C-alpha cells in the first residue's frame, strides 16, 4: 500500500459518519442549551469586537477575532467550497451554512472555556483545549493527547494545504513555478512567526478584514450582474440538500458529509483551534471573547464561503462527481476541483482578471491561516514542555512548519488535503467530547454575563463565586 492509499484509508476512518453526526449534534445541543445565543446575542457579538484593549500579556478583542478569523478564512473558503460542491453537489453549500449556524454555539463554548482557564506562559496568555481539559476536567493525560495531536496537525499536517493552493493558483494565473512560490511563502512566513504572538496579531488585524471584504465585494458584483438567477440558484441549493433534485440524487448523502466536513475545515467551530486565539485576548469577562469567536464563524462561512459558492453556481463554473463513475455535471472538462473553479468563475464576468484576483486573495487567505497554525502549534508546544526548553521546542516546530509548508507547495493537492483532513478530524474528536463534558461551565459563564449586562454594571468575572476552580489568571 502506497502513502496516498494509506492516508486515504486513515482519513476514511477519522472522517466517517460518526464524526459528522457528532459535529452536528454538538451544535444542536449547545444551541438549545444556550437558547440560541447565536441569534439572541448577534448585536452583542459585533459590539464586543471593540471591547478589550491589548496589554503586556494579551492582545485586544479585535486582534483575537482577527487572529482566529485568519485561521478560519483560508484555502477552505475557496478550494474547500469547490471541493464540497464537486463531491456533494450544490446542496453541500446548505450544510456548510447549517454547520456554521449551529457551530457558532460550539465556538462560543470552547472560546469561553479557553478564557476561563487561560494561563500566563513566558509573559503572554496561552490557553485552549489542553488547558481547559487539564484544569476543568482534571485529565492531564487527555490534555497532553490534544496538545500532541495539535502540534502534529497544525505544525506538520495542515500547512501544506494552504501553500499547495497558493502555489497552484499562482502557477495557473501567472505561470510561477510551484517551487518558487514555496520559497517566497516560507521566507515571508518565517519573518513573521519568529516575531511572536503580538506580531501575528498585528499582521492579522490589518490583513484579515481587507482580504475578506475585498473578496466578498467581488461576489456581490457577480451576484448583481446575475441577480435574476439568484432565486433559481437558491432553489437548487435547498432542493439538492434535501434530495429533492433528481439530478443530484446520487450525491444526496455526500452533500451532508462534504458540507459538514468542509464547513468544519473552513470555520473550525468545535475543532479546538479558535479557542487558542481566544485565550490570548485581554478581556473583562470570558463570554466577551466567546461572542467574538461565534461571530467569526459567521463571517467565515455565511460570508466568505457563501461568496465562493454563489460565484461558482451563478456562473456554472463547477463539476459534480458521480460516485458510480464519471460526472453528474461536467461544466469544466479536465479541470480538477480547487481554486481554478473560482478563477474561472470570476473570469467569466471580468475576462482576464479572474486568475490573478483569486491568486492574490488566496495568498492572503492562506497566508494568514499559516500564521494562525504557527501560533496554535507553539501554544501546544509550550503546554507540553511547561517551561523546560520551551524556546528550543518552539523554534523546532517553527522550522518543521516551514519545511512542511514548502513540501506542500510542490506536492499533489489530494495528498495534502487528505493529511489535513486527518489532522482536523483528530482535533475535532478530542475537543468536541471535552466541551460537551464542560458545557455546563460555559453556560454558567454565559448566564453570569447576561445578568451583568441586564443590570448595566461594568463587566467583571469572579470564577470562585460561580464555583469554578483552578483559574489562576482571574484571581483578584
Amino acid at each position: 500500500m502506497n502513502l496516498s492509499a494509506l492516508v486515504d484509508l486513515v482519513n476514511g476512518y477519522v472522517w466517517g459518519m460518526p464524526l459528522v453526526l457528532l459535529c452536528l449534534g454538538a451544535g444542536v445541543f449547545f444551541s438549545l442549551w444556550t437558547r440560541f445565543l447565536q441569534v439572541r446575542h448577534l448585536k452583542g457579538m459585533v459590539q464586543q469586537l471593540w471591547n478589550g484593549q491589548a496589554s503586556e500579556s494579551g492582545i485586544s478583542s479585535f486582534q483575537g477575532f482577527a487572529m482566529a478569523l485568519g485561521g478560519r478564512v483560508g484555502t477552505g473558503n475557496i478550494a474547500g467550497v469547490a471541493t464540497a460542491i464537486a463531491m456533494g453537489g450544490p446542496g453541500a453549500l446548505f450544510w456548510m451554512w447549517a454547520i456554521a449556524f449551529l457551530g457558532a454555539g460550539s465556538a462560543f463554548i470552547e472560546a469561553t472555556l479557553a478564557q476561563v482557564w487561560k494561563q500566563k506562559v513566558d509573559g503572554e496568555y496561552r490557553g485552549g483545549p489542553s488547558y481547559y481539559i487539564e484544569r476543568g476536567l482534571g485529565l492531564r493525560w487527555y490534555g497532553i493527547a490534544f496538545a500532541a495531536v495539535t502540534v502534529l496537525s497544525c505544525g506538520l499536517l495542515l500547512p501544506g494545504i494552504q501553500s499547495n493552493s497558493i502555489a497552484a493558483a499562482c502557477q495557473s494565473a501567472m505561470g510561477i513555478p510551484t517551487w518558487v512560490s514555496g520559497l517566497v511563502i516560507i521566507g515571508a512566513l518565517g519573518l513573521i512567526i519568529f516575531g511572536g504572538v503580538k506580531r501575528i496579531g498585528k499582521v492579522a488585524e490589518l490583513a484579515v478584514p481587507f482580504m475578506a471584504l475585498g473578496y466578498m465585494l467581488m461576489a456581490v458584483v457577480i451576484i448583481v450582474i446575475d441577480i435574476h438567477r439568484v432565486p433559481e440558484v437558491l432553489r437548487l441549493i435547498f432542493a439538492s440538500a434535501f434530495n429533492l433534485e433528481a439530478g443530484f440524487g446520487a450525491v444526496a448523502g455526500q452533500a451532508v458529509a462534504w458540507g459538514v466536513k468542509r464547513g468544519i475545515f473552513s470555520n473550525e467551530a468545535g475543532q479546538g483551534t479558535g479557542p487558542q486565539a481566544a485565550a490570548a485576548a485581554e478581556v473583562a469577562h470570558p463570554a466577551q471573547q466567546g461572542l467574538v469567536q461565534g461571530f467569526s464563524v459567521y463571517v467565515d462561512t455565511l460570508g466568505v464561503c457563501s461568496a465562493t459558492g454563489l460565484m461558482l453556481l451563478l456562473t456554472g463554473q463547477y463539476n459534480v462527481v458521480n460516485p458510480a463513475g464519471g460526472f453528474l455535471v461536467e461544466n469544466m472538462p479536465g479541470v480538477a476541483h480547487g481554486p481554478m473553479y473560482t478563477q474561472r468563475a470570476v473570469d467569466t464576468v471580468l475576462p482576464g482578471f479572474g486568475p490573478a484576483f483569486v491568486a492574490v486573495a488566496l495568498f492572503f487567505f492562506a497566508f494568514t491561516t499559516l500564521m494562525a497554525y504557527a501560533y496554535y502549534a507553539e501554544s501546544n508546544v509550550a503546554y507540553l514542555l511547561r517551561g523546560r526548553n520551551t524556546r528550543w521546542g518552539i523554534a523546532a516546530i517553527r522550522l518543521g512548519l516551514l519545511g512542511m509548508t514548502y513540501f506542500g507547495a510542490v506536492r499533489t493537492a489530494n495528498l495534502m488535503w487528505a493529511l489535513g483532513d486527518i489532522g482536523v478530524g483528530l482535533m475535532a474528536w478530542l475537543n468536541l467530547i471535552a466541551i460537551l463534558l464542560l458545557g455546563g461551565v460555559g453556560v454558567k459563564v454565559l448566564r453570569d454575563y447576561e445578568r451583568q449586562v441586564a443590570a448595566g454594571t461594568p463587566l467583571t468575572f469572579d470564577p470562585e463565586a460561580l464555583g469554578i476552580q483552578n483559574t489562576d489568571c482571574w484571581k483578584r
Side-chain angles (χ1 to χ4, degrees):
M1 182 181 293
N2 60 33
L3 177 61
S4 295
L6 177 61
V7 169
D8 288 340
L9 178 65
V10 174
N11 191 18
Y13 282 112
V14 172
W15 264 108
M17 189 53 68
L19 182 54
V20 172
L21 294 176
L22 179 62
C23 293
L24 288 170
V28 171
F29 180 69
F30 288 127
S31 296
L32 292 172
W33 201 358
T34 61
R35 295 182 291 122
F36 289 93
L37 73 91
Q38 60 266 62
V39 178
R40 294 189 299 110
H41 287 290
L42 183 58
K43 181 180 178 181
M45 289 178 177
V46 179
Q47 291 175 334
Q48 293 302 335
L49 289 174
W50 317 110
N51 291 330
Q53 300 301 312
S55 68
E56 291 184 2
S57 302
I59 57 180
S60 70
S61 285
F62 186 78
Q63 286 177 330
F65 164 79
M67 190 190 304
L69 188 60
R72 300 184 202 278
V73 177
T75 189
N77 297 78
I78 296 180
V81 175
T83 302
I85 291 175
M87 304 304 292
L93 187 58
F94 169 84
W95 292 106
M96 293 186 78
W97 293 338
I99 197 61
F101 175 74
L102 297 173
S106 302
F108 171 86
I109 295 294
E110 63 181 359
T112 299
L113 294 174
Q115 272 287 327
V116 168
W117 280 294
K118 66 185 178 183
Q119 289 184 273
K120 273 188 184 179
V121 178
D122 295 330
E124 296 180 339
Y125 288 135
R126 301 274 186 177
S130 295
Y131 294 84
Y132 57 69
I133 286 170
E134 177 178 341
R135 290 180 162 252
L137 292 176
L139 300 175
R140 184 178 178 186
W141 64 268
Y142 195 171
I144 291 173
F146 182 87
V149 166
T150 304
V151 171
L152 173 67
S153 301
C154 294
L156 302 176
L157 299 181
L158 284 161
I161 297 176
Q162 308 297 327
S163 58
N164 183 276
S165 293
I166 294 174
C170 290
Q171 187 175 51
S172 172
M174 295 166 271
I176 299 174
T178 55
W179 67 268
V180 173
S181 296
L183 289 176
V184 171
I185 294 166
I186 64 171
L189 183 62
L191 290 175
I192 292 172
I193 65 174
F194 279 94
V197 62
K198 292 190 177 180
R199 182 176 294 181
I200 294 174
K202 289 177 181 177
V203 172
E205 183 179 32
L206 294 173
V208 172
F210 167 77
M211 71 180 187
L213 288 173
Y215 187 74
M216 286 190 285
L217 181 61
M218 176 57 67
V220 170
V221 171
I222 291 176
I223 291 169
V224 169
I225 291 172
D226 264 340
I227 192 71
H228 65 282
R229 293 195 58 240
V230 170
E232 172 194 341
V233 166
L234 291 176
R235 186 204 64 80
L236 179 65
I237 291 170
F238 283 93
S240 303
F242 295 98
N243 196 20
L244 301 176
E245 185 72 21
F248 297 108
V251 292
Q254 295 293 319
V256 181
W258 280 96
V260 172
K261 185 176 183 178
R262 285 290 164 258
I264 292 292
F265 183 93
S266 177
N267 63 47
E268 302 182 3
Q271 179 183 314
T273 45
Q276 297 175 58
E282 182 76 70
V283 292
H285 195 284
Q288 291 177 281
Q289 191 59 204
L291 292 174
V292 165
Q293 295 305 323
F295 184 68
S296 73
V297 172
Y298 282 169
V299 174
D300 171 89
T301 307
L302 301 184
V304 186
C305 286
S306 294
T308 299
L310 291 174
M311 281 195 287
L312 299 185
L313 296 174
L314 282 169
T315 59
Q317 300 302 301
Y318 65 96
N319 298 330
V320 178
V321 176
N322 187 341
F327 294 88
L328 297 174
V329 174
E330 191 175 15
N331 295 331
M332 303 170 65
V335 178
H337 46 265
M340 283 183 286
Y341 279 24
T342 314
Q343 289 177 315
R344 294 275 189 97
V346 177
D347 214 43
T348 60
V349 179
L350 299 171
F353 183 67
F357 172 79
V358 174
V360 172
L362 190 56
F363 176 83
F364 279 110
F365 281 25
F367 193 80
T368 52
T369 299
L370 286 168
M371 291 193 300
Y373 287 163
Y375 175 69
Y376 300 151
E378 290 174 22
S379 291
N380 285 276
V381 166
Y383 172 84
L384 290 170
L385 296 180
R386 298 173 182 269
R388 300 185 300 274
N389 298 315
T390 304
R391 182 179 299 178
W392 294 107
I394 289 176
I397 198 60
R398 286 172 177 170
L399 292 173
L401 184 145
L402 292 175
M404 288 303 294
T405 299
Y406 181 80
F407 177 78
V410 299
R411 295 289 298 197
T412 64
N414 287 342
L415 176 60
M416 292 298 102
W417 276 97
L419 285 171
D421 280 340
I422 291 172
V424 169
L426 291 174
M427 285 189 291
W429 269 113
L430 294 172
N431 183 60
L432 284 169
I433 292 171
I435 64 174
L436 284 168
L437 294 172
L438 288 169
V441 175
V443 174
K444 187 183 293 185
V445 173
L446 173 63
R447 301 285 184 259
D448 180 62
Y449 166 83
E450 290 174 336
R451 282 193 297 270
Q452 294 185 46
V453 170
T457 58
L459 289 173
T460 60
F461 183 60
D462 184 355
E464 292 185 2
L466 297 176
I468 304 172
Q469 304 298 319
N470 299 320
T471 55
D472 296 346
C473 279
W474 294 100
K475 288 184 177 178
R476 295 176 182 274

